[in-house]
Amino acid sequence: MINFSLPASDSFAALEMAARDRILILDGAMGTMIQELNMSEEDFTAGGHIHGPGCRHHASDHPQKGNNDLLVLTQPKAVEDVQFQFARAGADILETNTFSSTTIAQADYGLEGAVHDLNVAGAQVARRAADRAQAEDGRRRFVAGAVGPTNRTASISPDVNDPGYRAVTFDDLRLAYGQQIDGLIEGGSDLILIETIFDTLNAKAAIFAALESFAKVGRRLPIMISGTITDASGRTLSGQTPTAFWHSVRHARPFTVGLNCALGADAMRPHLAELAGVAETRVCAYPNAGLPNAFGQYDEQPEDTAAKVEVFAKEGLVNVVGGCCGTTPEHIRAIADHVAAYAPRKPRMTANV
Ligand SMILES: [Zn+2]
């Protein structure tokens, strides 16, 4: 099934080379930055003029405020500016604003039909930010096509009275992810980032879909895989420890495996150490700026987040670091400064994964 004989994309060698010398920097949170802009329903829909790169028109009778992914079509400049700020702050890897751009997640907004355009445009917008930053300082930036977990889990029943029920199947997810990843590649993504994984079965469907998409275009892109620990006992929502998680995804031969979001950097450290102890590839970590306060805002200051992320680097646990919810360009700048002096983790690479 997995065709590792496909030629690797040119971003593969460039990323591997960059990761050999230093800890790479991933960008911060788009959601928090968008919230600051206080956009209205009118802003979210560009006054009802939602169209994709091919001028295809999209309409929905659902309210769109809060559908952050839609902004790549309706406010592309705002999204590009945030990504450009992150690149200038030191990010090597810019995430596309496509976390929820699957038919499954967009069903909440009645915009399933816009999914292809959301992903193509999402990658194009990030590509522009990356190219602008590179033109300014000569350093290559990579576009990571961001694939979120969707709002449905394939492993766990949402109905306590019917534990066998599933709101989504592996094949539903595989098809939805495939459509998303095809668009991300078409729009110019350098790699695919499968993130905030709380259900490993969802992630396996995304990996399967990525490999199918690579076969279609005849080249292999690097894959980054990032799980999230949802409770203090150190398990994902579908009940896995970091070690079990690694063994469930290692067949994809990811460029990185890691953790993001959730409980903040302090709580992440022991789980990251466990993952770094078993993973035969590079390790990536991008925690939240602490836990949100009662108003859902993140109070942790850039220097505080950066000092905690520095501990990961000092202990030799990481190859890529960045920020998740609540992290701003200032957080990313501080993180980049704090880890610059440390060597990247030396992964044990096994040829026969
Ligand atoms: Zn997050």
Side-chain angles (χ1 to χ4, degrees):
M1 185 279 291
I2 302 178
N3 184 358
F4 288 108
S5 60
L6 282 175
S9 68
D10 79 307
S11 55
F12 236 112
L15 264 175
E16 276 174 351
M17 183 95 81
R20 210 168 295 157
D21 303 334
R22 59 193 178 84
I23 295 174
L24 299 183
I25 307 296
L26 183 71
D27 65 4
M30 178 63 69
T32 332
M33 298 294 287
I34 287 171
Q35 252 169 20
E36 304 268 292
L37 299 174
N38 260 318
M39 286 195 259
S40 64
E41 175 69 20
E42 186 79 357
D43 296 327
F44 268 89
T45 63
H49 297 289
I50 305 172
H51 42 80
C55 279
R56 275 180 297 272
H57 245 269
H58 303 290
S60 165
D61 46 18
H62 294 53
Q64 298 299 325
K65 194 174 168 181
N67 188 5
N68 285 355
D69 290 18
L70 180 58
L71 299 174
V72 303
L73 299 183
T74 54
Q75 304 291 339
K77 197 76 186 88
V79 175
E80 185 188 324
D81 278 345
V82 172
Q83 287 161 332
F84 183 61
Q85 286 180 53
F86 278 123
R88 271 191 151 175
D92 298 287
I93 303 170
L94 303 180
E95 286 191 49
T96 59
N97 185 40
T98 54
F99 187 81
S100 302
S101 295
T102 53
T103 46
I104 294 169
Q106 285 298 316
D108 286 359
Y109 295 102
L111 278 179
E112 297 96 316
V115 159
H116 178 75
D117 285 352
L118 288 173
N119 288 290
V120 174
Q124 289 172 340
V125 168
R127 178 89 268 155
R128 282 200 294 273
D131 292 347
R132 268 170 70 198
Q134 183 173 344
E136 204 174 67
D137 63 17
R139 189 151 58 88
R140 180 162 177 181
R141 303 305 198 287
F142 299 90
V143 171
V147 175
T150 82
N151 45 3
R152 290 187 216 163
T153 155
S155 291
I156 302 164
S157 174
D159 180 356
V160 288
N161 295 313
D162 186 0
Y165 173 74
R166 294 292 179 270
V168 71
T169 66
F170 182 91
D171 265 338
D172 295 337
L173 286 163
R174 184 192 126 229
L175 293 172
Y177 281 134
Q179 196 183 1
Q180 171 166 42
I181 294 167
D182 287 347
L184 289 170
I185 295 174
E186 187 181 325
S189 298
D190 292 307
L191 61 125
I192 299 298
L193 168 62
I194 302 168
E195 63 176 349
T196 324
I197 299 160
F198 55 78
D199 182 342
T200 304
L201 193 54
N202 288 42
K204 285 170 91 85
I207 290 167
F208 195 99
L211 299 171
E212 287 185 313
S213 295
F214 299 166
K216 271 190 235 171
V217 294
R219 66 182 200 283
R220 213 157 36 89
L221 270 62
I223 301 178
M224 294 174 72
I225 296 178
S226 184
T228 194
I229 302 285
T230 48
D231 71 77
S233 76
R235 287 167 191 267
T236 63
L237 191 64
S238 53
Q240 285 190 315
T241 61
T243 302
F245 176 61
W246 164 246
H247 287 289
S248 308
V249 299
R250 70 198 285 268
H251 66 284
R253 300 190 197 176
F255 176 71
T256 65
V257 68
L259 297 173
N260 72 289
C261 206
L263 308 169
D266 283 339
M268 182 184 278
R269 202 205 61 82
H271 312 307
L272 193 66
E274 182 183 332
L275 191 58
V278 293
E280 296 131 313
T281 188
R282 296 165 205 84
V283 169
C284 173
Y286 52 114
N288 285 357
L291 285 169
N293 64 26
F295 305 101
Q297 291 151 344
Y298 292 84
D299 300 323
E300 194 172 274
Q301 296 304 302
E303 279 300 315
D304 298 327
T305 309
K308 292 173 186 175
V309 172
E310 182 180 344
V311 174
F312 302 166
K314 200 178 205 166
E315 294 182 354
L317 302 179
V318 285
N319 303 89
V320 181
V321 292
C324 202
C325 304
T327 57
T328 63
E330 285 63 44
H331 288 81
I332 296 307
R333 184 170 286 113
I335 288 170
D337 286 349
H338 276 249
V339 305
Y342 298 95
R345 170 178 169 274
K346 284 231 178 320
R348 293 176 289 119
M349 300 294 225
T350 0
N352 58 349
V353 171

